[in-house]
Amino acid sequence: MDHQMIGPLLDKYFEGLTDLEEENRLRQAALHGPWPEQLQAYRPLFRYLGEQQQAEPALSSDFDEQLLAKLGRHAAAAKTRQLPYRSWALRAAAAFALALGAFWLYQPAAPAQEVAVVDWSKYEVKTPEEAFRVTRSALRTVSSKLNEGTSVAAQGFDENLGQIKKFMRY
Amino acid sequence: MKSSKWILTALMLGFFGILSAQAQSTTSAIDKYFQQYLEDERFTVVYVSSKLMSMFGKLDIESMEMDDAETKAIMELASDLKGIRILVTEETPNQFYKEAKQKIDTREYEILMTVRNKDEENVEFLVKDNGEDLIEELLLMVGGGEQFVLMSFVGNIDMNKISTLINEFDDDKEAPGEQQNKQ
C-alpha cells in the first residue's frame, strides 16, 4: 500500500470514519508495509491490533454442532418429574388446613365483640359533678365493705386472712 | 415432610387467632355475665366513664364541702380507672346474689374476700389481676338484706391507693353512702 495513504487513513480512523476494509489496510501496513516516518508513533497500535487479529483462533465449522450437543446433554438430565399422587393429596390437605386456620382466626372474634357491644353510654351519668358523687359513693361502699371484712377477719372468721392483711398494714 | 410443616403453620395460625381474640375481650364482668340485667326494669344501672372521671380535676371541689385528703385519694384512684359500672335492685336480692355467684367464672375472678354480716348480708369481693401488683377489675357483690348491688371497677387498680382511701373514709365517721342514683 502506498505509504502516502497512511496519513489520511489515520486521520479518518481517529475521526471514526474508516470502514472495516480501511482498518484492515491500516493493520496490514503496520505489520508488513512501509510506514511514514513522522507517524511511527501510531504504528505499534495497529501492529498490535493486527497481531491480535491473526492470533485469534477462528471458530471451527462444527462449533454450532458441538455447542448444541453439549446443551442437549444437560437438557436431557433435567427431565420433568411427575409428582406422586400422595403429594397432591398432601397439598390439598395443607390448603384445607390453612382455610380452617383462617376460619378459626376470624370466628372467635365475633362472639367476643358481641359481649363488648353493650351500649353503656345510655346508663352514663350526665355531669362530672354527678359522676364524682357516684364515684365517691361507690368507693365509700367498697371501703366500708372492705373494712367490715377486715374487722370480721380480725375475729378469725375469714379464710382469706393473708389477702386482707394487705389492707391492715397501716 | 414439607406439607406437614404447612399444616402445622395453619394450626398455629388458628390457635393464635383464638388467643388474640380472647386477649381483646377486656370487658367488665357485667358485660360478660350480667348483660341481661341491664335491660331488666328492676335494676338501676349507673355507669361512670373514664372520660367523666378525667374531668374531676376541673370540678369545684370546695363547693362540695369535702375533705381535701379524701378528695385527693378519690381522684388518685379515679385516674387509674377506666370505668365504674353499678347495678342495683331491691327485688329478691338473695336470689340475685345466688345467681350471680353461680355465673362468675372463678377461674377468671379470684375471691378476695367473702363476708356475711349480722344483717344477713353477703358481701363478696372478686378481683381479676394482670399477674402483677395491679388489679384489672375489682368486682363487689352485695346481696341479701335489702338490696343486691354489683359494682365493677375496671382499670389498673393499685391496692395501696385503695387502702389510702379506706383510711381517709375511716377518719370521718360519716355513714357509708348507698346507691340512690336512680335514672
Side-chain angles (χ1 to χ4, degrees), chain B residues 7-183:
Chain B
I7 294 170
L8 197 69
T9 310
L11 288 177
M12 292 298 280
L13 271 174
F15 188 61
F16 185 71
I18 292 168
L19 280 185
S20 63
Q22 277 176 347
Q24 280 165 7
S25 60
T26 50
T27 49
S28 74
I30 291 178
D31 290 62
K32 218 165 187 170
Y33 305 113
F34 306 109
Q35 235 189 81
Q36 84 268 28
Y37 294 167
L38 298 179
E39 299 299 324
D40 196 323
E41 289 290 312
R42 292 170 293 177
F43 278 87
T44 303
V45 184
V46 182
Y47 171 59
V48 181
S49 65
S50 60
K51 194 176 165 229
L52 275 171
M53 283 187 274
S54 69
M55 287 157 82
F56 286 177
K58 291 171 197 152
L59 289 177
D60 185 10
I61 300 296
E62 278 171 31
S63 69
M64 296 169 97
E65 292 173 359
M66 277 195 292
D67 189 329
D68 277 353
E70 181 190 313
T71 310
K72 193 165 166 272
I74 292 175
M75 293 208 179
E76 268 296 294
L77 196 59
S79 65
D80 297 336
L81 292 177
K82 290 188 190 123
I84 302 176
R85 294 167 174 84
I86 304 166
L87 278 170
V88 188
T89 183
E90 282 169 7
E91 291 185 38
T92 61
N94 272 313
Q95 196 192 316
F96 278 122
Y97 185 80
K98 273 182 206 150
E99 208 177 298
K101 276 204 73 154
Q102 281 168 3
K103 274 186 184 172
I104 290 169
D105 187 351
T106 46
R107 281 168 302 181
E108 198 178 352
Y109 289 86
E110 196 185 335
I111 297 174
L112 181 67
M113 185 159 92
T114 310
V115 188
R116 186 179 168 85
N117 64 19
K118 53 186 179 296
D119 307 326
E120 299 292 300
E121 195 183 49
N122 292 294
V123 178
E124 189 155 301
F125 279 95
L126 293 128
V127 290
K128 184 161 90 175
D129 55 36
N130 62 356
E132 289 161 36
D133 283 346
L134 298 177
I135 294 172
E136 266 178 36
E137 185 177 2
L138 175 69
L139 187 67
L140 167 65
M141 287 200 295
V142 184
E146 285 171 3
Q147 54 184 0
F148 168 66
V149 182
L150 254 177
M151 280 188 198
S152 155
F153 300 82
V154 177
N156 291 313
I157 305 161
D158 185 347
M159 268 309 192
N160 292 322
K161 288 184 185 173
I162 292 188
S163 36
T164 311
L165 191 69
I166 291 174
N167 285 344
E168 287 306 327
F169 282 143
D170 219 21
D171 287 345
D172 50 47
K173 294 296 175 197
E174 198 184 318
E178 299 283 12
Q179 287 309 306
Q180 298 297 337
N181 189 55
K182 297 260 181 191
Q183 287 219 321

Side-chain angles (χ1 to χ4, degrees), chain A residues 16 24 29 44 60 105 154:
Chain A
N24 196 36
S60 62
L105 192 68

Side-chain angles (χ1 to χ4, degrees), chain A residues 103-117, chain B residues 17 21-22 24-25:
Chain A
F103 179 71
W104 277 340
L105 192 68
Y106 295 107
Q107 195 61 16
Q113 275 168 359
E114 254 171 56
V115 170
V117 140
Chain B
Q22 277 176 347
Q24 280 165 7
S25 60

